[in-house]
Amino acid sequence: MTEMDNTKKFNELFSELEHFDKEEQKHTILEMNGLVEGMAREEFKAVFAIDLFDRTNNMIKEKKLSMENSILILKNIGYHRMLINLISFSFLCSSLKHRFEKMIVDEGKKKEGKNEKLLIDLCECYLLLDGKFSSELILICIPCLLKVALRKEENEEAQKEVEMALLALSNIKFNNIERNMYLCEIKEIIQYHQEHLNLTRLAYQSVWEFLINRFYCDKNLEDTIADELYFVREATRELWELSERFDWKRKKEKERKKGRKQELVLLRWLLSLNFFFGSCELFSSESARLIGSIVNVYGTVKDNFREISNSCLCTFANAAGNKAIKVDFLLKDEAVDIVFEEINRSTIYDRMEFVVLEFFIKISRRLKEKEKDEMEEEKRKELKRKVHEKMEEEGFEDVITMNI
């Protein structure tokens, strides 16, 4: 089935829903969800539109679609939006958003007769589909979904529920949230997994992403993230395992689809590291191993997964500008050599050329800073010479003149 056929089939099935009873709707929605899972990014964008959400809202309002079945399809759509990191304002601008907001607030305020399952479903849908949340909604959604994420059962169904709750929470980006609302629970989830390995890879990445997102407004979290929960160690291990345990040179389409989720989890780790490298000030010798693991990822995927290799380059550029990370780490683990390699791959029209130049500008500025230790100073001079010669060879004299 072609991409156009996928989109067309999805829309046809959606239009038929209002003519079915509840059970027939459920079977049709399961078929629609299967189509969504097989969609490429561009066709998914065509489906993830205001019209879809407005029509869903009208069908709920006219009692042509049950709330249970609407959640079944919307949660799946939100799940895949998060996996492919699609930024869209379709749900934000829809009438369905307002319905969900009111339902969450009304259900959350109930003292008696609260429908916990409905509230969980509503919170997950809302966070997975949207990207902008009011403080009132966050105060309801966070404790509700943390309660789900704290479940310790290790059967497949329970793991899926925990994964969905943590993925939804990871979409709460840079809102300022009081620590007492989440930190004890998040630490428990991470530490329990470190001991028992009970989370899926996506769930584990998502809980870290939620915590890293809090770092934007609360720099005092750095001790907890770096020293108490061992973020660098854990990220290093996850990157090594994701790059080493899976066949990244899959030829058959069936095999590529099976591994797509692991590709997306790896990409999400790199996006989190990109932000972390740009902000964190606590780094030890473990940081060198983390950079080495990103180098390993790059070498594994560079010929087949350009989106991932580009994300590696963006991460190197952020690391190059962080004074807490030694330039020597970037040289020792061949990050500098990789960026040299990219100079030959990039064209003037390629947005990655800017990232490559950004990397060298940051490195060259760092190399201006003299070292107190004589041995380190000699290393700095040698690295400066190597960078200078390579950039001159590649025709970037202007960058050299301005920054070295």
Side-chain angles (χ1 to χ4, degrees):
M1 186 179 289
T2 65
E3 291 185 5
M4 184 60 71
D5 289 337
N6 260 339
T7 306
K8 183 179 179 181
K9 181 64 173 176
F10 179 92
N11 289 328
E12 286 175 353
L13 291 174
F14 186 82
S15 296
E16 293 173 4
L17 285 177
E18 61 182 294
H19 305 299
F20 297 152
D21 63 26
K22 186 175 179 180
E23 279 305 308
E24 288 174 324
Q25 282 182 352
K26 185 174 182 179
H27 289 300
T28 302
I29 288 170
L30 291 175
E31 184 179 352
M32 293 166 67
N33 285 350
L35 290 172
V36 168
E37 290 171 12
M39 285 182 180
R41 186 182 182 87
E42 288 306 311
E43 59 180 331
F44 182 82
K45 285 171 68 175
V47 167
F48 196 91
I50 296 175
D51 181 61
L52 171 74
F53 302 119
D54 284 341
R55 288 171 66 191
T56 301
N57 185 55
N58 289 335
M59 289 169 69
I60 294 171
K61 184 179 179 180
E62 296 168 5
K63 301 188 185 306
K64 294 179 179 179
L65 180 66
S66 70
M67 181 56 64
E68 180 183 345
N69 281 340
S70 69
I71 285 171
L72 184 62
I73 186 171
L74 292 170
K75 193 184 289 189
N76 185 66
I77 289 173
Y79 180 88
H80 286 279
R81 180 190 84 86
M82 290 289 292
L83 279 186
I84 65 173
N85 195 35
L86 175 67
I87 298 173
S88 171
F89 301 102
S90 298
F91 181 75
L92 181 66
C93 301
S94 72
S95 56
L96 184 63
K97 172 186 168 75
H98 302 297
R99 174 181 291 275
F100 273 29
E101 285 178 336
K102 186 177 186 307
M103 290 181 71
I104 290 171
V105 172
D106 290 347
E107 200 66 40
K109 286 182 177 178
K110 286 182 181 178
K111 299 297 182 183
E112 296 180 1
K114 183 182 295 187
N115 186 333
E116 294 285 354
K117 185 180 185 311
L118 175 61
L119 183 59
I120 290 167
D121 286 337
L122 289 170
C123 288
E124 287 178 346
C125 277
Y126 183 73
L127 295 183
L128 290 168
L129 292 168
D130 204 355
K132 187 177 181 181
F133 322 108
S134 68
S135 298
E136 184 179 22
L137 268 295
I138 286 176
L139 291 173
I140 296 172
C141 290
I142 287 180
C144 173
L145 297 186
L146 281 177
K147 191 182 295 184
V148 177
L150 283 164
R151 293 173 182 170
K152 302 296 194 299
E153 301 95 328
E154 295 185 20
N155 61 73
E156 188 175 344
E157 183 180 352
Q159 282 190 326
K160 184 67 176 178
E161 290 174 357
V162 170
E163 180 182 271
M164 192 71 76
L166 288 171
L167 184 63
L169 286 169
S170 75
N171 198 37
I172 302 175
K173 296 301 183 187
F174 307 127
N175 304 73
N176 193 3
I177 303 167
E178 293 292 332
R179 285 193 191 192
N180 57 16
M181 270 198 70
Y182 67 87
L183 190 54
C184 287
E185 292 87 349
I186 290 296
K187 286 171 62 176
E188 181 179 342
I189 292 167
I190 290 173
Q191 289 171 336
Y192 188 86
H193 174 76
Q194 288 173 350
E195 185 175 351
H196 301 281
L197 302 178
N198 64 306
L199 299 176
T200 66
R201 289 193 182 277
L202 177 57
Y204 193 48
Q205 188 283 325
S206 295
V207 69
W208 275 114
E209 185 156 334
F210 173 83
L211 189 56
I212 295 297
N213 286 337
R214 309 284 68 75
F215 184 58
Y216 181 82
C217 295
D218 185 359
K219 296 297 183 183
N220 292 323
L221 277 173
E222 189 163 354
D223 288 335
T224 300
I225 292 171
D227 293 339
E228 191 175 347
L229 296 175
Y230 312 110
F231 174 74
V232 171
R233 181 196 72 186
E234 293 296 292
T236 300
R237 179 180 52 77
E238 287 292 311
L239 291 182
W240 277 105
E241 292 189 1
L242 280 164
S243 60
E244 295 294 328
R245 289 190 178 185
F246 298 96
D247 180 11
W248 293 96
K249 297 180 180 179
R250 296 179 294 276
K251 301 298 182 183
K252 296 179 181 178
E253 183 63 21
K254 185 177 180 181
E255 293 173 344
R256 288 181 68 86
K257 285 183 177 180
K258 186 177 180 181
R260 179 60 176 156
K261 187 173 180 179
Q262 303 305 330
E263 297 165 27
L264 295 167
V265 173
L266 178 55
L267 186 59
R268 284 170 60 87
W269 269 112
L270 290 168
L271 292 172
S272 294
L273 284 168
N274 194 21
F275 174 69
F276 183 74
F277 275 145
S279 305
C280 192
E281 297 176 358
L282 287 180
F283 286 97
S284 63
S285 57
E286 281 190 331
S287 305
R289 291 192 65 240
L290 179 54
I291 290 169
S293 70
I294 300 170
V295 168
N296 185 61
V297 168
Y298 176 89
T300 302
V301 306
K302 66 177 180 179
D303 295 325
N304 300 302
F305 301 93
R306 195 59 184 160
E307 186 179 8
I308 298 176
S309 61
N310 284 350
S311 191
C312 290
L313 295 171
C314 292
T315 305
F316 291 147
N318 261 2
N322 190 326
K323 291 186 177 181
I325 301 175
K326 290 186 177 181
V327 173
D328 193 43
F329 290 169
L330 297 167
L331 178 64
K332 179 182 177 183
D333 287 298
E334 301 176 352
V336 172
D337 293 327
I338 283 173
V339 185
F340 282 150
E341 178 184 332
E342 282 296 322
I343 292 176
N344 296 317
R345 292 170 62 113
S346 298
T347 70
I348 193 68
Y349 303 106
D350 188 346
R351 71 178 181 86
M352 293 314 296
E353 183 170 87
F354 172 79
V355 174
V356 168
L357 289 175
E358 180 187 21
F359 175 88
F360 283 115
I361 288 170
K362 289 178 177 178
I363 285 286
S364 60
R365 286 174 181 168
R366 295 278 305 280
L367 291 173
K368 282 183 178 181
E369 303 164 2
K370 292 188 176 182
E371 299 283 351
K372 293 180 180 178
D373 184 274
E374 288 186 14
M375 187 175 296
E376 291 298 318
E377 175 64 10
E378 285 302 312
K379 287 182 182 179
R380 182 191 70 81
K381 288 180 179 178
E382 176 59 24
L383 178 55
K384 182 177 179 179
R385 183 192 60 77
K386 181 179 178 181
V387 171
H388 185 284
E389 288 179 355
K390 185 64 178 180
M391 294 195 72
E392 191 173 45
E393 177 186 324
E394 300 296 341
F396 291 109
E397 292 91 347
D398 290 344
V399 178
I400 297 169
T401 302
M402 289 186 297
N403 295 285
I404 296 186

